[in-house]
Amino acid sequence: GGSMSQFAIVDEYLYTVDYKSLHVFLVSDAENPVPLETIDLGVGIETIFPQDGHLFIGTQNGVRIYDISNPRSPVEVSDFEHVTSCDPVVANDNLAIATLRGGTECGGNLNELDVFDISDLKNPTMISTQSLTNPYGLGFSNTNDNIVYVCDGYAGLKAFDVSNPSSIE
């Protein structure tokens, strides 16, 4: 898994996304996965990231949050929109971080890191934005939830401190 993943395994369930759908499979018997549900999400679906009983789905125009407390039947909690752009997303207990990459088949021309407050999953709000060069993926540090690593194309690997989300460094 990671910010560019199109699948995630949570307990005995595999969640996959394609350009327009979320698919749910039971994988308790790895040799015989069982398809359970396909949810139409519309077009432009790109990535999936699991966090604390939720799926964060990056789309070309935003991020959708799904509750998987009933793992067989994900339920949409909310979505937040941004300009059209390629959009991987990661999350921790309090923040969702998305990078937007312009100049691609996704459309748009922004290259930035957006930080969202997800303390109320039904009403995520953007806190701040940081300009980037050409982001290609991101992830939280395994040892410090306040550090986010971003692969920023020719500008290299960057580490951002998000301990003060309204003023990331």
Side-chain angles (χ1 to χ4, degrees):
S3 69
M4 302 293 281
S5 290
Q6 292 183 303
F7 67 92
I9 297 174
V10 180
D11 299 325
E12 297 181 337
Y13 295 88
L14 169 66
Y15 302 93
T16 68
V17 292
D18 57 30
Y19 187 69
K20 62 181 181 131
S21 302
L22 170 64
H23 305 276
V24 183
F25 299 87
L26 179 63
V27 292
S28 52
D29 178 357
E31 293 183 23
N32 298 297
V34 178
L36 298 175
E37 187 165 351
T38 297
I39 300 168
D40 182 20
L41 301 177
V43 296
I45 307 307
E46 296 183 319
T47 63
I48 187 169
F49 186 84
Q51 175 66 25
D52 288 337
H54 293 87
L55 300 175
F56 290 79
I57 298 175
T59 75
Q60 290 179 0
N61 61 0
V63 175
R64 296 182 183 181
I65 303 172
Y66 277 77
D67 182 327
I68 55 172
S69 55
N70 177 353
R72 293 174 171 257
S73 298
V75 175
E76 187 172 11
V77 175
S78 63
D79 67 44
F80 43 101
E81 294 184 2
H82 57 62
V83 299
T84 300
S85 183
C86 291
D87 174 20
V89 61
V90 296
N92 65 19
D93 292 338
N94 302 308
L95 301 174
I97 314 276
T99 54
L100 310 183
R101 184 175 74 246
T104 67
E105 69 281 353
C106 301
N109 59 3
L110 293 177
N111 290 292
E112 65 186 32
L113 179 132
D114 291 342
V115 180
F116 298 89
D117 178 351
I118 58 168
S119 56
D120 177 1
L121 286 172
K122 292 182 181 180
N123 188 28
T125 55
M126 186 183 301
I127 302 171
S128 63
T129 297
Q130 172 73 41
S131 291
L132 296 172
T133 302
N134 196 240
Y136 276 87
L138 70 158
F140 280 99
S141 166
N142 285 335
T143 58
N144 183 339
D145 272 353
N146 290 318
I147 302 297
V148 174
Y149 295 105
V150 177
C151 296
D152 196 15
Y154 294 116
L157 178 66
K158 295 181 178 177
F160 292 97
D161 181 347
V162 296
S163 55
N164 178 358
S166 60
S167 179
I168 57 178
E169 298 180 16

